[in-house]
Amino acid sequence: MADDSLLGMERILISACLIGQPVRYDGAAKTGADPALLARWRAEGRLVPVCPEVAVGFPTPRPPAEIAGRGEEADGRDVLDGLARVVEATGTDVTAQYLRAAQETVALATARGCRHAVLTDGSPSCGSGFIYDGSFSGATRPGMGVVTAALRAAGVRVWAQGEMAQLEAALAEG
Ligand code: SF4
């Protein structure tokens, strides 16, 4: 079988909740991705769906989780560095599971040759531009989730669902 990368076909890792899978903590899917672009990428065989949290055994629904620690600044990079933790609203520390989710998602991206990912912004796993601030008050701050931090450290470009047109332009440039 031909290697897609030789044919210029970039595979895109994508948050499963963005393609309609009801895997979010609240049992819903996530809207906001460009449906026409998604349909084309899907038809082209580019999409590699993953829910990093469900992949490591979290149930759906599940309690919401946020990144806490290291004051106002903590994000997924700090979790990878052991400087912050991921905590559910119930108080349960789920840092170890989030770290495993990050490792497994990087392994998937590597195995499938994904140099780009479109992930759901705001998530403690998949966020790329903002996350919730650890207070469970609905407040957000700039930052990225644990999976995004690990993917970026591995050289994968991570885009939010609102940046799909920019990714399309980047793919066209090659
Ligand atoms: Fe799963 Fe990421 Fe979607 Fe959360 S944002 S439900 S971890 S794919």
Side-chain angles (χ1 to χ4, degrees):
M1 194 171 138
D3 183 338
D4 286 346
S5 63
L6 296 177
L7 302 174
M9 178 62 75
E10 289 273 5
R11 291 197 187 92
I12 302 165
L13 195 73
I14 188 155
S15 290
C17 57
L18 285 178
I19 58 167
Q21 295 185 23
V23 289
R24 297 185 72 217
Y25 74 94
D26 58 2
K30 178 73 178 174
T31 55
D34 179 330
L37 199 44
L38 270 187
R40 181 152 62 75
W41 286 347
R42 190 199 298 260
E44 291 170 346
R46 291 184 186 273
L47 297 181
V48 179
V50 63
C51 174
E53 294 174 14
V54 167
V56 296
F58 280 104
T60 303
R62 53 191 171 277
E66 298 189 4
I67 294 172
R70 214 174 75 78
E72 303 287 300
E73 306 288 322
D75 78 356
R77 292 167 293 189
D78 301 295
V79 178
L80 294 181
D81 290 343
L83 300 173
R85 356 181 243 127
V86 187
V87 185
E88 291 183 336
T90 55
T92 302
D93 188 322
V94 286
T95 306
Q97 294 95 314
Y98 272 65
L99 289 171
R100 192 152 56 83
Q103 289 170 352
E104 292 192 6
T105 307
V106 169
L108 176 65
T110 302
R112 299 299 304 275
C114 299
R115 299 191 303 169
H116 297 273
V118 176
L119 303 184
T120 301
D121 214 354
S123 156
S125 293
C126 294
S128 57
F130 76 93
I131 55 172
Y132 289 85
D133 75 351
S135 67
F136 294 96
S137 66
T140 63
R141 63 174 173 232
M144 66 185 79
V146 185
V147 168
T148 296
L151 286 169
R152 284 178 168 161
V156 178
R157 290 184 72 180
V158 178
W159 309 75
Q161 67 270 31
E163 298 175 323
M164 290 171 58
Q166 290 100 306
L167 170 54
E168 174 74 346
L171 293 176
E173 285 170 11

